[in-house]
Amino acid sequence: MKYLDEYRDPALGRELLGRLARTASRPWRIMEVCGGQTHTLVRQGIDELLPAGIRMIHGPGCPVCVTPLETLDRAMAVAARPGVTFTSFGDMLRVPGSTTDLLALRARGADVRVVYSPMEAVRIAEENPDREVVFLAVGFETTAPANAMTVLHAARLGLANFSLLVSHVLVPPAMTALLEDPDCEVEAFLAAGHVCAVMGWREYEPIAERYQVPVVVTGFEPLDLLEGILMAVVQLEEGRYDVENQYARAVRRRGNDEAQLALARVFRVTDRAWRGIGTLPAGGLELAPEYAAFDAVRRFEVGAQHSVEDPDCIAGAILTGARLPTDCRAYGIRCTPRTPLGAPMVSSEGTCAAFHAAGRTGSTP
């Protein structure tokens, strides 16, 4: 398939692995930020093919996984209210809150619907003026522009029955928090190509400079990842800490001007809780005051949420790369894709789901 096969060529993959083996003179630890990258690494077995000593640390870049439990519990409380139609992408429906999930709420009669874009939620609001329609807006800089455009569209339509429950997070503050941790083992990052397609990579330059850590903007296909790892290792071996772009076919330094403009109009930066990491200063987005009428938190008073994680779930440690799914005593036993205890086992980008789909049962490099 054009535009895919050329990035999955086994011969080129073996060549890149050979160059990695010839380049690396000592062990290096590299974090891939994005869950989509994690899935490719694990599904293709790339992490197990790397030369001895090069270890991939799986990062927190799964939008479903980092959505805090309190937000999920608030979503359940809003969705359970009479007169509310609650909309979300499908993988959020099975993410467990403290006591239940959106799928179970729907089974008990709540109007919870899967949509394939936030604009679909706006259409539902237009067609059902007697109902309050709420969209669960989660994710990184990749999904936020579409949600910003949705708010602008709803404002133009004058919709008074549409709102967002916002839990957007930003990648650079999370990278900084990881690097500030005294136990951090990360020596280089593979930055998420789709985030950088929106935001560019200028935000990563001060991080690379301050912490002296290479950052390589990387795509998602097997050869993208192998080349990104090689570029990171070359920098580490040469003692450089620059921001480089492996994903040149999709990313430019300044990113997407139109998307950034929409973000700036609709959202403002705020402190934001990340599941497994905690509250990060300037770690996320909230609706700007002029669009507060679309804020579901303001529209629905659901009170304080007292959220409790399952004691067997180590999702926080997995999201920060401190532990592997196979370190979890519940992995594959109490916690499976059919009976997930935490978001990393639910999401298509979750590390636990990636390991389970690949049949991983023991320790990995």
Side-chain angles (χ1 to χ4, degrees), residues 242-327:
D242 301 322
V243 180
E244 295 182 330
N245 183 23
Q246 182 279 327
Y247 204 31
R249 65 184 184 279
V251 176
R252 57 180 181 168
R253 182 172 179 267
R254 63 186 295 165
N256 184 312
D257 295 333
E258 292 299 320
Q260 292 173 31
L261 181 61
L263 289 178
R265 287 183 62 186
V266 174
F267 294 112
R268 70 179 182 185
V269 175
T270 186
D271 298 347
R272 178 66 73 191
W274 285 58
R275 195 172 190 172
I277 296 178
T279 299
L280 300 181
L285 300 172
E286 65 179 3
L287 287 164
E290 52 268 48
Y291 295 101
F294 295 97
D295 189 346
V297 173
R298 293 170 182 259
R299 187 171 299 193
F300 302 97
E301 177 53 55
V302 295
Q305 304 299 309
H306 303 288
S307 303
V308 181
E309 296 273 8
D310 189 291
D312 281 349
C313 182
I314 61 169
I318 289 170
L319 288 169
T320 57
R323 307 282 292 278
L324 289 171
T326 45
D327 296 330

Side-chain angles (χ1 to χ4, degrees), residues 109-349:
D111 188 0
V112 177
R113 305 187 192 183
V114 174
V115 294
Y116 295 93
S117 84
M119 286 295 186
E120 192 176 343
V122 171
R123 180 183 57 76
I124 294 171
E126 283 187 272
E127 295 173 352
N128 299 273
D130 58 331
R131 297 192 64 82
E132 288 283 346
V133 178
V134 183
F135 178 71
L136 180 54
V138 304
F140 300 93
E141 296 92 329
T142 43
T143 55
N147 291 332
M149 296 299 295
T150 300
V151 170
L152 294 172
H153 183 57
R156 282 194 295 270
L157 294 174
L159 285 180
N161 65 327
F162 175 76
S163 59
L164 297 181
L165 181 56
V166 177
S167 188
H168 281 304
V169 292
L170 301 172
V171 171
M175 292 170 63
T176 300
L178 291 170
L179 291 167
E180 289 284 349
D181 186 334
D183 295 325
C184 177
E185 296 183 330
V186 177
E187 295 171 290
F189 284 103
L190 303 187
H194 48 12
V195 170
C196 295
V198 174
M199 302 303 293
W201 68 77
R202 290 175 292 189
E203 297 174 297
Y204 300 110
E205 291 169 342
I207 295 175
E209 175 70 25
R210 177 179 178 184
Y211 296 97
Q212 299 188 2
V213 56
V215 178
V216 180
V217 179
T218 304
F220 303 90
E221 293 299 321
L223 295 187
D224 289 326
L225 289 159
L226 283 169
E227 187 176 36
I229 295 167
L230 176 61
M231 291 167 70
V233 169
V234 168
Q235 284 203 53
L236 290 164
E237 291 285 338
E238 295 177 352
R240 293 188 290 115
Y241 38 88
D242 301 322
V243 180
E244 295 182 330
N245 183 23
Q246 182 279 327
Y247 204 31
R249 65 184 184 279
V251 176
R252 57 180 181 168
R253 182 172 179 267
R254 63 186 295 165
N256 184 312
D257 295 333
E258 292 299 320
Q260 292 173 31
L261 181 61
L263 289 178
R265 287 183 62 186
V266 174
F267 294 112
R268 70 179 182 185
V269 175
T270 186
D271 298 347
R272 178 66 73 191
W274 285 58
R275 195 172 190 172
I277 296 178
T279 299
L280 300 181
L285 300 172
E286 65 179 3
L287 287 164
E290 52 268 48
Y291 295 101
F294 295 97
D295 189 346
V297 173
R298 293 170 182 259
R299 187 171 299 193
F300 302 97
E301 177 53 55
V302 295
Q305 304 299 309
H306 303 288
S307 303
V308 181
E309 296 273 8
D310 189 291
D312 281 349
C313 182
I314 61 169
I318 289 170
L319 288 169
T320 57
R323 307 282 292 278
L324 289 171
T326 45
D327 296 330
C328 177
R329 64 184 179 183
Y331 170 79
I333 304 172
R334 283 191 64 213
C335 185
T336 70
R338 291 178 62 86
T339 57
L341 297 184
M345 186 58 93
V346 177
S347 170
S348 60
E349 296 188 8

Side-chain angles (χ1 to χ4, degrees), residues 81-119:
R81 292 171 71 107
V84 169
T85 296
F86 197 89
T87 63
S88 168
F89 296 136
D91 50 0
M92 292 301 298
L93 265 63
R94 295 182 59 246
V95 181
S98 294
T99 59
T100 187
D101 57 46
L102 288 167
L103 200 61
L105 272 182
R106 186 168 73 176
R108 293 201 293 267
D111 188 0
V112 177
R113 305 187 192 183
V114 174
V115 294
Y116 295 93
S117 84
M119 286 295 186

